[in-house]
Amino acid sequence: MKPLYEEYQAHGGTIIKPYYWLSFSLDCTNCPYHIRTGEEARVSYTEFHQIFGYPHGPVYPQPKHLIFYELKNSSGSLVQKGHATNCTGSPTHPEPMLFEIHGYLDSVISSNSTIKHIILYSNHTPCNEANNCCISKMYHFLMLYPNLTLSVYFSQFYHTGNEFPAAPWNREALRSLASLWPQVTLSPISGGIWHSLLNTFVNGISGSAVFQPILAGRAMADRYNAYEINCITGVKPHFTEVIPHASESQNVKFQATLQNSPFNNVFQRTSAQQLPILIPDLKIPVIFVLVPYRDLPPMPVSENPHKPTNVVRHLNVPQASFCEANELSKLPMGRPVEMEEMTACTASSKEADKNKAELLSKHM
């Protein structure tokens, strides 16, 4: 028996109470209505700016999770739009609310077979940490609906940096999700998608205000996101539209804010007319943590563990993130050698060279 949802008709759509919350948390401002559809999915410009970091760039720290979604049919026409937010009282991310078996999207698609494509616009990449297992649930959902396609657009990475203990597991889960291409695509929000989000999901934005310029800090972050998702998954983003050049005045303002930017150590300015380009920071430590695989489908083993499977297009030669590659290059090949063995081998080699020299001198 499938669970029922409590749906309430609102001014421009519906407010939905997820089935597994019989009561709401006083610690969460969005409880119990974390899913909203239609015009009810719109948010204020202030909230959009704070959560998505538009148009200036990422804002840290950012504990809120907000996903806008669109459900479309095979011809590309919109069937439903909405948004899902995280619960700070549980805590629960929005992905499980949408994608778990008998979750909201499972219920919607079961009752409307015309839906063929799901588009997510998220302020964070999905994670696969123990409390939520977001990517595992997305993966299993896609296995249940093989005729559906999923496009994920994001504005910043969630817990993939080396300062987070679960980072290796989150990166591995992103590789697993990307391996479902062409059913799945992962891309940074950039260019015209920002304008589309303003028009579709933000209150009080219309006319020329929708097409406000994307500032250099935001364009820098979008370019970094495109570079890093390719490093993590080995797959080029399906969509990128970043500003290739900036005016001199933009770069003056950009350089003034770059010093305090979290991306300062991976960008380098090349000229007054160009946006910064990416360079690796080899000083960043890499933390490797063994995390149980839980219920994510097993990854196939190959010569290159970073190579996604089932990918036939948009594929670069897979490579680790520059931080991972730097650390891996230091690892010894073959079995470990104890210090006593190394000393013995060195002494033995010197003794052999001495004996060889004495033997040669006797025959001269």
Side-chain angles (χ1 to χ4, degrees), residues 254-303:
F254 168 75
Q255 284 298 117
T257 58
L258 181 61
Q259 300 302 319
N260 297 323
S261 169
F263 302 109
N264 186 33
N265 59 357
V266 292
F267 284 98
Q268 176 179 341
R269 188 181 183 187
T270 54
S271 69
Q273 286 76 34
Q274 290 183 335
L275 281 174
I277 61 172
L278 293 161
I279 59 170
D281 184 351
L282 301 179
K283 298 179 181 179
I284 301 177
V286 178
I287 303 174
F288 291 96
V289 178
L290 295 178
V291 182
Y293 271 73
R294 297 182 65 84
D295 55 339
L296 188 71
M299 291 290 293
V301 179
S302 61
E303 292 183 1

Side-chain angles (χ1 to χ4, degrees), residues 48 51-53 58 60 66-68 95 119-127 138 151-158 160 174 177-178 185-191 193-194 197 218 221-233 235-240 242 263:
F48 181 76
I51 296 178
F52 276 81
Y60 293 94
L66 175 60
I67 293 179
F68 298 114
E95 289 91 347
I119 306 174
L120 304 183
Y121 308 95
S122 177
N123 68 316
H124 288 305
T125 52
C127 76
M138 295 169 74
S151 297
V152 180
Y153 297 91
F154 62 92
S155 65
Q156 66 190 66
F157 288 92
Y158 182 76
T160 59
L174 284 170
L177 187 63
T185 57
L186 298 172
S187 306
I189 300 174
S190 61
I193 293 183
W194 285 115
L197 285 176
R218 182 68 259 174
D222 296 344
R223 179 172 291 177
Y224 168 81
N225 290 343
Y227 171 83
E228 186 65 10
I229 195 66
N230 179 221
C231 288
I232 291 174
T233 66
V235 182
K236 285 184 178 179
H238 177 72
F239 176 90
T240 50
V242 295
F263 302 109

Side-chain angles (χ1 to χ4, degrees), residues 24 46 67 140 223 300:
F24 63 91
T46 299
I67 293 179
H140 291 152
R223 179 172 291 177

Side-chain angles (χ1 to χ4, degrees), residues 337-346:
V337 179
E338 299 293 340
M339 183 60 69
E340 291 81 5
E341 290 184 82
M342 294 175 62
T343 304
C345 289
T346 303

Side-chain angles (χ1 to χ4, degrees), residues 323-346:
C323 296
E324 293 177 295
N326 177 58
E327 192 70 13
L328 290 173
S329 65
K330 300 176 182 179
L331 296 176
M333 301 299 292
R335 69 179 183 86
V337 179
E338 299 293 340
M339 183 60 69
E340 291 81 5
E341 290 184 82
M342 294 175 62
T343 304
C345 289
T346 303

